[in-house]
């Protein structure tokens, strides 16, 4: 079973699907992310495709290392996501050939379904109460929202009060009907993280995500000491078990959030097992497309310490520049029900491979040259702000 082609397809709203074929007629799919660096990702995929031509597709672990380490220079999200997409496709091909879902090759499933949560509020959070009400009607019991928009190093009292008011409105309206997760999105600088965490503790949120931007992991234990009962979650921009090992050794984190389209499928499984030794949960990051979600669910279904999972149904990123709907999670699936949450949960995909069937003709038909621009957020004085 030799690799004969690695072919990316860019489809709306902002997804990069990767089809891998083998000389015995096998076909597998993966998904890359980092859409704001689309051309760089496509270039990395082209390089990997040339290097893997004729490689033994059964040797997935070897090929993952070869893709990440074989060019002397290594690291970075562009190479990581290109590698992850190819690796997901290799697992899809292999498991399909064996006639089993991938989770059977990871020790078998440990659950029948996986609770999932839904986004509300958008990048600059608005109308969060109405968004949460809509999600409750869809069957979700957990929602996540960005805590704030641009936030300066030393923000005003009004900025802090706006964050508190949003969360208070949700708690006042829904009480304990709804669990709330907050994403600081790396937008909050160290000087503002502590006062925000102190103010938010009263609302008993599920977690605060990315309380600081990547590169400040050594500061997380200090934040944890003032966070009280608020859990700290992070990891969506980390790339491998080595990155997560540093995070675990440093401490201060309660929930890991690895993304299968940066780590790869088997690496995500290894991260979950490593976290298990620290008695920590993994809630996989996945505001991505259907292939990424299917790959991540294969791992989640085989790991005891994955209590819930992210998914992108109705996500604000599924719109074009004019705000019009541009694509939805089930659009490219032959059977969309496989990735349609019911009562806030997804059933473990049981079909061979990643457990989904892409409509290849539709993928080809909808292939497009979409672009995702940098947000270029600014503070009032013109300085760049964290997005």
């Amino acid at each position: 079973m030799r690799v004969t082609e690695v072919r990316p397809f860019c489809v709306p709203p902002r997804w990069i699907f990767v089809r891998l074929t083998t000389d015995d007629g096998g076909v597998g799919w993966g998904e890359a992310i980092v859409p704001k660096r689309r051309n760089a990702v496509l270039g990395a995929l082209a390089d990997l495709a040339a290097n893997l031509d004729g490689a033994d597709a059964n040797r997935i672990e070897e090929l993952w290392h070869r893709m990440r380490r074989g060019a002397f220079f290594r690291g970075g999200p562009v190479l990581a996501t290109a590698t992850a997409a190819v690796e997901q496709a290799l697992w899809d091909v292999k498991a399909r050939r064996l006639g089993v879902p991938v989770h059977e090759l990871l020790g078998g499933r440990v659950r029948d379904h996986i609770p999932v949560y839904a986004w509300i509020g958008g990048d600059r959070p608005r109308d969060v109460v109405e968004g949460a009400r809509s999600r409750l009607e869809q069957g979700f019991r957990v929602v996540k929202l960005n805590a704030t928009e641009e936030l300066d190093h030393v923000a005003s009292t009004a900025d802090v009060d706006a964050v508190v008011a949003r969360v208070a409105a949700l708690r006042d309206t829904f009480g304990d009907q709804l669990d709330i997760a907050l994403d600081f999105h790396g937008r909050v600088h160290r000087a503002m993280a502590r006062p925000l965490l102190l103010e938010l503790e009263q609302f008993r949120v599920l977690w605060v995500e990315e309380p600081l931007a990547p590169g400040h992991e050594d500061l997380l234990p200090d934040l944890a000491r003032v966070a009280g009962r608020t859990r700290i979650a992070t990891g969506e921009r980390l790339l491998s078990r080595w990155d997560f090992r540093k995070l675990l050794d440093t401490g201060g984190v309660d929930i890991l959030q690895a993304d299968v389209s940066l780590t790869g499928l088997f690496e995500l499984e290894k991260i979950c097992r490593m976290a298990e030794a620290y008695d920590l949960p993994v809630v996989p990051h996945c505001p991505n497309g259907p292939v990424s979600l299917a790959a991540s669910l294969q791992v989640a279904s085989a790991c005891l310490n994955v209590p819930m999972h992210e998914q992108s149904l109705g996500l604000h990123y599924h719109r074009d520049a004019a705000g019009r709907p541009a694509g939805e999670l089930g659009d490219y699936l032959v059977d969309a029900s496989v990735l349609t949450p019911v009562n806030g949960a997804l059933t473990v995909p049981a079909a061979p491979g990643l457990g989904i069937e892409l409509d290849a003709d539709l993928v080809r038909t909808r292939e497009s040259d979409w672009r995702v621009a940098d947000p270029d957020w600014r503070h009032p004085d013109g300085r760049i702000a964290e997005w």
Side-chain angles (χ1 to χ4, degrees):
M1 194 167 70
R2 301 282 173 179
V3 176
T4 55
E5 184 183 47
V6 175
R7 164 79 154 87
F9 294 85
C10 295
V11 298
R14 49 191 279 148
W15 297 332
I16 305 172
F17 296 157
V18 177
R19 185 188 66 198
L20 183 143
T21 57
T22 59
D23 60 358
D24 64 348
V27 175
W29 291 89
E31 182 179 338
I33 55 173
V34 197
K36 294 181 185 66
R37 298 294 177 263
R38 171 184 178 272
N39 288 338
V41 173
L42 294 178
L45 284 164
D47 285 343
L48 294 179
N51 290 334
L52 295 186
D53 187 39
D56 185 347
N58 283 302
R59 300 173 71 162
I60 300 173
E61 178 74 353
E62 177 183 287
L63 294 181
W64 182 87
H65 282 283
R66 180 173 157 187
M67 287 186 282
R68 291 181 68 124
R69 298 164 56 187
F72 183 70
F73 291 100
R74 60 184 75 177
V78 168
L79 178 61
T81 195
T83 298
V86 174
E87 188 254 13
Q88 292 167 21
L90 288 167
W91 279 103
D92 195 26
V93 166
K94 187 167 192 171
R96 285 174 182 272
R97 185 167 176 259
L98 296 172
V100 297
V102 168
H103 64 251
E104 291 293 348
L105 307 179
L106 303 177
R109 62 186 176 90
V110 298
R111 53 163 53 91
D112 300 318
H113 64 270
I114 302 168
V116 293
Y117 65 86
W119 271 90
I120 60 172
D123 270 328
R124 289 189 169 100
R126 298 288 187 273
D127 303 322
V128 294
V129 170
E130 288 309 307
R133 184 173 285 113
S134 174
R135 292 305 199 178
L136 276 168
E137 291 171 356
Q138 293 172 352
F140 294 99
R141 293 296 176 267
V142 181
V143 297
K144 185 169 81 176
L145 66 148
N146 283 308
T148 181
E149 46 196 342
E150 300 97 327
L151 199 71
D152 211 338
H153 289 261
V154 179
S156 69
T157 301
D159 288 330
V160 174
D161 288 347
V163 177
V164 173
R166 271 190 290 274
V167 183
L170 290 170
R171 189 59 78 211
D172 291 345
T173 304
F174 302 106
D176 61 5
Q177 282 184 282
L178 193 71
D179 278 315
I180 305 160
L182 286 181
D183 193 350
F184 279 18
H185 214 256
R187 296 171 183 171
V188 179
H189 296 281
R190 182 183 185 181
M192 290 308 304
R194 185 165 63 90
L196 275 174
L197 286 169
L198 288 169
E199 292 275 3
L200 292 167
E201 185 185 2
Q202 62 184 302
F203 300 113
R204 294 177 295 153
V205 298
L206 278 184
W207 66 75
V208 164
E209 182 170 330
E210 276 203 319
L212 297 172
H216 299 299
E217 287 80 9
D218 58 316
L219 304 178
L220 292 177
D222 290 338
L223 280 189
R225 279 188 279 274
V226 302
R229 58 189 169 188
T230 304
R231 303 174 191 90
I232 289 177
T234 197
E236 69 186 68
R237 289 188 257 188
L238 302 183
L239 309 179
S240 71
R241 79 196 93 146
W242 292 277
D243 293 337
F244 281 93
R245 184 195 67 184
K246 294 176 185 175
L247 189 64
L248 292 168
D249 288 344
T250 301
V253 178
D254 302 293
I255 299 167
L256 305 186
Q257 295 178 300
D259 190 313
V260 74
S261 281
L262 286 175
T263 65
L265 189 153
F266 199 27
E267 187 72 359
L268 175 60
E269 193 261 359
K270 293 171 183 174
I271 291 164
C272 290
R273 306 300 187 201
M274 183 169 67
E276 197 171 18
Y278 287 77
D279 198 23
L280 287 180
V282 178
V283 178
H285 179 261
C286 197
N288 311 325
V291 185
S292 182
L293 178 58
S296 194
L297 290 174
Q298 291 297 323
V299 175
S301 66
C303 294
L304 287 169
N305 60 329
V306 180
M308 69 179 73
H309 204 289
E310 186 172 19
Q311 55 81 48
S312 69
L313 183 69
L315 188 65
H316 47 283
Y317 296 141
H318 293 173
R319 295 180 175 274
D320 62 20
R324 298 167 299 204
E328 193 45 87
L329 194 57
D331 284 0
Y332 298 95
L333 301 179
V334 173
D335 179 6
S337 69
V338 178
L339 295 183
T340 300
V342 176
N343 295 324
L346 284 167
T347 302
V348 173
L354 298 182
I356 60 170
E357 199 67 49
L358 281 185
D359 184 336
D361 291 335
L362 184 60
V363 170
R364 282 191 292 269
T365 300
R366 296 200 66 191
E367 188 174 14
S368 68
D369 189 33
W370 52 255
R371 290 287 187 275
V372 179
D374 291 349
D376 195 23
W377 282 16
R378 302 275 172 166
H379 295 298
D381 63 2
R383 285 173 298 135
I384 290 174
E386 289 281 358
W387 174 73

